[in-house]
């Protein structure tokens, strides 16, 4: 498979967990009918964002939410993020650590997905820049899935779920409202870019390297 | 010294080497009178850009050009790039290798300077993005010094010499024409940003690290 469709679900999160999960499932079904093969939910898709909410909303894994998500993924024959080979997964602030993306790229990942929720300070400053940085430096596709913005929430998410290609171009980007972002991931294009600018072959691994401490 | 002025000389390069060097020296003098303490010339400041020119324009070091530049640096009490502590130096394409910048940052560099000449394809796609990536990932100032654009040259440089701060903001940016770019480098601001987003302290060096192979 050299190309496939990715969908990012920029969910509007409410304080009712069962409602969040039901709505997430219905968006997953919609994305599947649009041809998506990999679907990502945002960070904290079933709970308001904030440490004070976690004791009430937390679940064991497997648990109620993962059970529902597994069922819908199976029903729709799609992969929910986390379960697909060659996809590197980080959460939100992980985007700031170039080393994580470098290690994923070394291990053959061609798509990095960061469910995340930047705020109204770090969002405009760094949300898109960090994705484009990770994409160009590692010549991979990068996608972020944010919750939709809720100006009345205690933590106001930036929104703007995005897909960037390995050339650093923004392929698709949501606004602040609830939305599904679709993008066709073309691994032939990725291979072409790696041939045009062969930084992987040219890295001076005799002088430096990013190394895992525990394999 | 917690702040100082940087100047990037976006020189218009001609095919007459002695003229390039003389004009570079007069720009350095002008930058010094404007208070610059560190001055960078562009990549290939004394020769047209292109491998075919190098046999004719190459010099030994020390040689005629370095001699003239040393004299003017001494006369003006400024540092020409390469000679200042805590400044990491790369050339052009080096910007694509995140590892180099990561190692400079590990070693305490607070300003990275890349004399470089991107072209009209890679310039609009990556010139500014790579600088902002290096700046935000390593929380350092990043500056690039390009030759001015000459549409009749065999290699047409992008121009747009730039200074970016550790928050990823473009502080100063030339157009395509010959120019000096000035920017006040504020190391207190750098320290503040490192406190606000303490990625250096938070890096999981127990899990991964960028390492030099030869010290």
């Amino acid at each position: 498979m050299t190309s496939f469709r990715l969908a990012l679900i920029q969910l509007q999160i409410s304080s009712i967990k069962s409602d969040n999960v039901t709505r997430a499932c219905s968006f997953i079904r919609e994305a599947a009918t649009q041809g998506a093969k990999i679907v990502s939910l945002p960070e904290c898709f079933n709970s308001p964002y904030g440490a004070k909410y976690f004791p009430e909303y937390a679940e064991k894994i497997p648990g109620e939410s993962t059970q529902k998500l597994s069922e819908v993924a199976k029903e729709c024959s799609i992969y929910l993020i986390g379960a697909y080979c060659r996809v590197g997964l980080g959460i939100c602030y992980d985007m700031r650590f170039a080393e994580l993306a470098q290690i994923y790229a070394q291990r053959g990942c061609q798509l990095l997905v960061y469910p995340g929720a930047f705020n109204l300070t770090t969002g405009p400053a760094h949300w898109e820049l960090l994705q484009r940085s990770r994409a160009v430096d590692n010549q991979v596709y990068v996608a972020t899935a944010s919750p939709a913005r809720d100006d009345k929430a205690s933590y106001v998410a930036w929104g703007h779920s995005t897909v960037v290609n390995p050339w650093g171009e923004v392929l698709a980007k949501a606004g602040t409202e609830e939305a599904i972002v679709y993008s066709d991931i073309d691994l032939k294009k990725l291979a072409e870019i790696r041939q045009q600018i062969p930084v992987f072959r040219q890295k001076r691994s005799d002088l430096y390297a990013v190394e895992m401490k525990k394999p």
Side-chain angles (χ1 to χ4, degrees), chain A:
Chain A
M1 188 161 64
T2 63
S3 88
F4 60 89
R5 178 164 290 182
L6 172 74
L8 309 171
I9 297 183
Q10 183 163 300
L11 198 67
Q12 188 78 59
I13 315 295
S14 76
S15 58
I16 304 162
K17 184 159 84 167
S18 62
D19 191 44
N20 292 326
V21 174
T22 305
R23 297 181 70 254
C25 289
S26 85
F27 274 111
I28 293 167
R29 285 191 188 92
E30 184 183 331
T33 65
Q34 297 297 322
K37 292 293 174 219
I38 301 186
V39 179
S40 179
L41 294 168
E43 189 183 14
C44 285
F45 72 92
N46 65 1
S47 157
Y49 193 100
K52 68 177 175 187
Y53 298 105
F54 297 161
E56 182 186 342
Y57 288 79
E59 288 182 19
K60 289 218 167 63
I61 294 178
E64 195 192 345
S65 296
T66 58
Q67 176 65 28
K68 290 236 164 87
L69 294 176
S70 304
E71 283 167 17
V72 75
K74 201 169 172 186
E75 166 199 327
C76 298
S77 299
I78 55 100
Y79 294 95
L80 272 167
I81 270 308
Y84 196 78
C85 79
R86 294 211 166 178
V87 174
L89 182 66
I91 306 288
C92 200
Y93 194 71
D94 287 338
M95 255 202 293
R96 293 196 179 273
F97 299 92
E99 294 87 349
L100 178 65
Q102 289 166 312
I103 284 166
Y104 275 136
Q106 278 175 17
R107 299 194 153 206
C109 290
Q110 297 170 307
L111 166 64
L112 307 183
V113 181
Y114 297 90
F118 274 32
N119 62 33
L120 301 196
T121 301
T122 55
H126 297 150
W127 177 252
E128 184 177 296
L129 172 61
L130 288 168
Q131 293 170 70
R132 296 181 64 211
S133 304
R134 299 292 85 85
V136 168
D137 284 346
N138 301 292
Q139 300 181 318
V140 294
Y141 285 87
V142 175
T144 50
S146 169
R149 190 175 301 173
D150 176 358
D151 290 316
K152 296 182 291 280
S154 56
Y155 181 93
V156 181
W158 176 239
H160 297 298
S161 301
T162 306
V163 182
V164 177
N165 76 9
W167 190 250
E169 292 164 323
V170 173
L171 294 183
K173 187 172 185 173
T176 61
E177 69 295 346
E178 189 164 66
I180 305 182
V181 176
Y182 294 103
S183 188
D184 294 324
I185 303 298
D186 182 354
L187 300 179
K188 274 206 316 237
K189 167 100 178 169
L190 182 149
E192 279 165 25
I193 289 169
R194 289 187 175 193
Q195 209 151 29
Q196 283 161 13
I197 304 188
V199 282
F200 278 98
R201 275 198 281 114
Q202 296 165 328
K203 277 188 199 290
R204 291 293 304 272
S205 52
D206 55 323
L207 295 180
Y208 51 69
V210 184
E211 288 179 352
M212 290 283 287
K213 294 295 185 175
K214 293 173 191 166

